Amino acid sequence: MLAAAGNLRRQKPSPLRQHIYVMLIGLLASTGLRVSEALNLRLCDLLSGDVLHICQTKFNKSRLVPMHPSVAAALRDYLAIRERFAGTDDHVFLSVGGKPMGVGTLYAAFHVILRKAGVGQGRTRRPRIHDLRHTFATRVLEQCSARREDVARDFIALSTYLGHAHIRYTYWYLQATPELMSDIAGMVENLIGEKLS
């Protein structure tokens, strides 16, 4: 998908088009951000130490999201290119005319990228950009420690990282990892119960 995004046709009003979508899709896939969170990122939200400040999003929560060093390096490279072409708006991701990118613009480009990459073609249910968040969450759960007691703590950390208001909103990601589902759910309940006692 990233290669397909990098091969998008250049548009005269937006010389950043290819760079924007490579970075945006890569950021969504590697951090599990919500689409709205990524589109609302401003330059002041990029903190030192390779951390994103996600401000007052769903459930009125703010949080800090650390990035992998490779993602942070790619973001710095993108910002150097963005600086050459962007106007005065401080949103990280801009559309034609230097305006903040709208979700409809992203969705349209995402479907073009899927087609170019040959992803999901011929399926009755087309992949959605939000599926990148789901994939991120399930991959994190699959990489949890083999020690079941550590898994509960990892699960709570994932819930916080994703910005969920309550741990129950993270439970449904366990559907993709059924072998861990009952163990994690039980241990998280026990761990939360211990903290409340």
PDB file of all heavy atoms in Angstrom, residues 35-51:
ATOM      1  N   VAL A  35      -8.414   7.955  12.391  1.00  0.00           N
ATOM      2  CA  VAL A  35      -8.240   8.807  11.205  1.00  0.00           C
ATOM      3  C   VAL A  35      -8.370  10.273  11.594  1.00  0.00           C
ATOM      4  O   VAL A  35      -7.547  11.108  11.202  1.00  0.00           O
ATOM      5  CB  VAL A  35      -9.263   8.420  10.110  1.00  0.00           C
ATOM      6  CG1 VAL A  35      -9.272   9.441   8.987  1.00  0.00           C
ATOM      7  CG2 VAL A  35      -8.958   7.030   9.573  1.00  0.00           C
ATOM      8  N   SER A  36      -9.367  10.604  12.386  1.00  0.00           N
ATOM      9  CA  SER A  36      -9.580  12.003  12.787  1.00  0.00           C
ATOM     10  C   SER A  36      -8.396  12.532  13.589  1.00  0.00           C
ATOM     11  O   SER A  36      -8.030  13.708  13.466  1.00  0.00           O
ATOM     12  CB  SER A  36     -10.874  12.148  13.595  1.00  0.00           C
ATOM     13  OG  SER A  36     -10.797  11.372  14.783  1.00  0.00           O
ATOM     14  N   GLU A  37      -7.776  11.685  14.401  1.00  0.00           N
ATOM     15  CA  GLU A  37      -6.629  12.115  15.192  1.00  0.00           C
ATOM     16  C   GLU A  37      -5.449  12.466  14.296  1.00  0.00           C
ATOM     17  O   GLU A  37      -4.763  13.468  14.519  1.00  0.00           O
ATOM     18  CB  GLU A  37      -6.239  11.024  16.189  1.00  0.00           C
ATOM     19  CG  GLU A  37      -7.279  10.802  17.261  1.00  0.00           C
ATOM     20  CD  GLU A  37      -7.024   9.574  18.110  1.00  0.00           C
ATOM     21  OE1 GLU A  37      -6.215   8.705  17.725  1.00  0.00           O
ATOM     22  OE2 GLU A  37      -7.654   9.480  19.185  1.00  0.00           O
ATOM     23  N   ALA A  38      -5.217  11.648  13.289  1.00  0.00           N
ATOM     24  CA  ALA A  38      -4.112  11.928  12.369  1.00  0.00           C
ATOM     25  C   ALA A  38      -4.385  13.191  11.560  1.00  0.00           C
ATOM     26  O   ALA A  38      -3.496  14.034  11.397  1.00  0.00           O
ATOM     27  CB  ALA A  38      -3.889  10.736  11.438  1.00  0.00           C
ATOM     28  N   LEU A  39      -5.608  13.341  11.074  1.00  0.00           N
ATOM     29  CA  LEU A  39      -5.928  14.521  10.255  1.00  0.00           C
ATOM     30  C   LEU A  39      -5.914  15.808  11.071  1.00  0.00           C
ATOM     31  O   LEU A  39      -5.672  16.885  10.527  1.00  0.00           O
ATOM     32  CB  LEU A  39      -7.286  14.340   9.570  1.00  0.00           C
ATOM     33  CG  LEU A  39      -7.352  13.251   8.504  1.00  0.00           C
ATOM     34  CD1 LEU A  39      -8.747  13.172   7.916  1.00  0.00           C
ATOM     35  CD2 LEU A  39      -6.298  13.455   7.430  1.00  0.00           C
ATOM     36  N   ASN A  40      -6.156  15.706  12.365  1.00  0.00           N
ATOM     37  CA  ASN A  40      -6.158  16.900  13.223  1.00  0.00           C
ATOM     38  C   ASN A  40      -4.788  17.231  13.816  1.00  0.00           C
ATOM     39  O   ASN A  40      -4.658  18.218  14.535  1.00  0.00           O
ATOM     40  CB  ASN A  40      -7.185  16.742  14.348  1.00  0.00           C
ATOM     41  CG  ASN A  40      -8.602  16.840  13.836  1.00  0.00           C
ATOM     42  OD1 ASN A  40      -8.882  17.595  12.913  1.00  0.00           O
ATOM     43  ND2 ASN A  40      -9.497  16.060  14.401  1.00  0.00           N
ATOM     44  N   LEU A  41      -3.782  16.409  13.536  1.00  0.00           N
ATOM     45  CA  LEU A  41      -2.447  16.686  14.066  1.00  0.00           C
ATOM     46  C   LEU A  41      -1.941  18.031  13.560  1.00  0.00           C
ATOM     47  O   LEU A  41      -2.064  18.358  12.383  1.00  0.00           O
ATOM     48  CB  LEU A  41      -1.453  15.608  13.620  1.00  0.00           C
ATOM     49  CG  LEU A  41      -1.362  14.348  14.438  1.00  0.00           C
ATOM     50  CD1 LEU A  41      -0.402  13.365  13.772  1.00  0.00           C
ATOM     51  CD2 LEU A  41      -0.916  14.639  15.858  1.00  0.00           C
ATOM     52  N   ARG A  42      -1.371  18.796  14.475  1.00  0.00           N
ATOM     53  CA  ARG A  42      -0.746  20.072  14.127  1.00  0.00           C
ATOM     54  C   ARG A  42       0.738  19.983  14.430  1.00  0.00           C
ATOM     55  O   ARG A  42       1.182  19.124  15.187  1.00  0.00           O
ATOM     56  CB  ARG A  42      -1.396  21.204  14.908  1.00  0.00           C
ATOM     57  CG  ARG A  42      -2.847  21.409  14.494  1.00  0.00           C
ATOM     58  CD  ARG A  42      -3.528  22.477  15.325  1.00  0.00           C
ATOM     59  NE  ARG A  42      -4.884  22.669  14.883  1.00  0.00           N
ATOM     60  CZ  ARG A  42      -5.281  23.621  14.046  1.00  0.00           C
ATOM     61  NH1 ARG A  42      -4.415  24.471  13.558  1.00  0.00           N
ATOM     62  NH2 ARG A  42      -6.538  23.731  13.704  1.00  0.00           N
ATOM     63  N   LEU A  43       1.493  20.857  13.858  1.00  0.00           N
ATOM     64  CA  LEU A  43       2.943  20.819  14.040  1.00  0.00           C
ATOM     65  C   LEU A  43       3.328  20.886  15.517  1.00  0.00           C
ATOM     66  O   LEU A  43       4.276  20.226  15.934  1.00  0.00           O
ATOM     67  CB  LEU A  43       3.602  21.953  13.249  1.00  0.00           C
ATOM     68  CG  LEU A  43       3.418  21.866  11.724  1.00  0.00           C
ATOM     69  CD1 LEU A  43       4.004  23.103  11.059  1.00  0.00           C
ATOM     70  CD2 LEU A  43       4.027  20.589  11.163  1.00  0.00           C
ATOM     71  N   CYS A  44       2.580  21.623  16.315  1.00  0.00           N
ATOM     72  CA  CYS A  44       2.891  21.737  17.747  1.00  0.00           C
ATOM     73  C   CYS A  44       2.604  20.440  18.510  1.00  0.00           C
ATOM     74  O   CYS A  44       3.027  20.286  19.654  1.00  0.00           O
ATOM     75  CB  CYS A  44       2.140  22.900  18.379  1.00  0.00           C
ATOM     76  SG  CYS A  44       0.345  22.730  18.318  1.00  0.00           S
ATOM     77  N   ASP A  45       1.903  19.487  17.873  1.00  0.00           N
ATOM     78  CA  ASP A  45       1.602  18.201  18.502  1.00  0.00           C
ATOM     79  C   ASP A  45       2.747  17.196  18.353  1.00  0.00           C
ATOM     80  O   ASP A  45       2.687  16.101  18.896  1.00  0.00           O
ATOM     81  CB  ASP A  45       0.333  17.589  17.910  1.00  0.00           C
ATOM     82  CG  ASP A  45      -0.903  18.430  18.187  1.00  0.00           C
ATOM     83  OD1 ASP A  45      -0.959  19.050  19.266  1.00  0.00           O
ATOM     84  OD2 ASP A  45      -1.798  18.471  17.321  1.00  0.00           O
ATOM     85  N   LEU A  46       3.767  17.565  17.586  1.00  0.00           N
ATOM     86  CA  LEU A  46       4.921  16.695  17.378  1.00  0.00           C
ATOM     87  C   LEU A  46       5.961  17.062  18.425  1.00  0.00           C
ATOM     88  O   LEU A  46       6.650  18.068  18.306  1.00  0.00           O
ATOM     89  CB  LEU A  46       5.471  16.869  15.966  1.00  0.00           C
ATOM     90  CG  LEU A  46       4.431  16.799  14.834  1.00  0.00           C
ATOM     91  CD1 LEU A  46       5.081  17.046  13.491  1.00  0.00           C
ATOM     92  CD2 LEU A  46       3.691  15.476  14.853  1.00  0.00           C
ATOM     93  N   LEU A  47       6.038  16.273  19.465  1.00  0.00           N
ATOM     94  CA  LEU A  47       6.888  16.589  20.612  1.00  0.00           C
ATOM     95  C   LEU A  47       8.261  15.952  20.487  1.00  0.00           C
ATOM     96  O   LEU A  47       8.450  14.994  19.727  1.00  0.00           O
ATOM     97  CB  LEU A  47       6.205  16.112  21.899  1.00  0.00           C
ATOM     98  CG  LEU A  47       4.781  16.598  22.141  1.00  0.00           C
ATOM     99  CD1 LEU A  47       4.243  16.039  23.448  1.00  0.00           C
ATOM    100  CD2 LEU A  47       4.704  18.113  22.120  1.00  0.00           C
ATOM    101  N   SER A  48       9.192  16.477  21.236  1.00  0.00           N
ATOM    102  CA  SER A  48      10.529  15.889  21.247  1.00  0.00           C
ATOM    103  C   SER A  48      10.446  14.482  21.834  1.00  0.00           C
ATOM    104  O   SER A  48       9.496  14.146  22.543  1.00  0.00           O
ATOM    105  CB  SER A  48      11.484  16.752  22.065  1.00  0.00           C
ATOM    106  OG  SER A  48      11.050  16.811  23.403  1.00  0.00           O
ATOM    107  N   GLY A  49      11.431  13.681  21.529  1.00  0.00           N
ATOM    108  CA  GLY A  49      11.431  12.307  22.018  1.00  0.00           C
ATOM    109  C   GLY A  49      10.566  11.390  21.175  1.00  0.00           C
ATOM    110  O   GLY A  49      10.158  10.314  21.629  1.00  0.00           O
ATOM    111  N   ASP A  50      10.224  11.821  19.953  1.00  0.00           N
ATOM    112  CA  ASP A  50       9.432  11.000  19.024  1.00  0.00           C
ATOM    113  C   ASP A  50       8.055  10.653  19.588  1.00  0.00           C
ATOM    114  O   ASP A  50       7.610   9.502  19.549  1.00  0.00           O
ATOM    115  CB  ASP A  50      10.187   9.720  18.643  1.00  0.00           C
ATOM    116  CG  ASP A  50      11.514  10.013  17.963  1.00  0.00           C
ATOM    117  OD1 ASP A  50      11.676  11.136  17.441  1.00  0.00           O
ATOM    118  OD2 ASP A  50      12.381   9.124  17.954  1.00  0.00           O
ATOM    119  N   VAL A  51       7.393  11.669  20.137  1.00  0.00           N
ATOM    120  CA  VAL A  51       6.078  11.488  20.758  1.00  0.00           C
ATOM    121  C   VAL A  51       5.066  12.420  20.095  1.00  0.00           C
ATOM    122  O   VAL A  51       5.368  13.572  19.789  1.00  0.00           O
ATOM    123  CB  VAL A  51       6.160  11.795  22.272  1.00  0.00           C
ATOM    124  CG1 VAL A  51       4.787  11.760  22.924  1.00  0.00           C
ATOM    125  CG2 VAL A  51       7.088  10.801  22.962  1.00  0.00           C
TER     126      VAL A  51
END
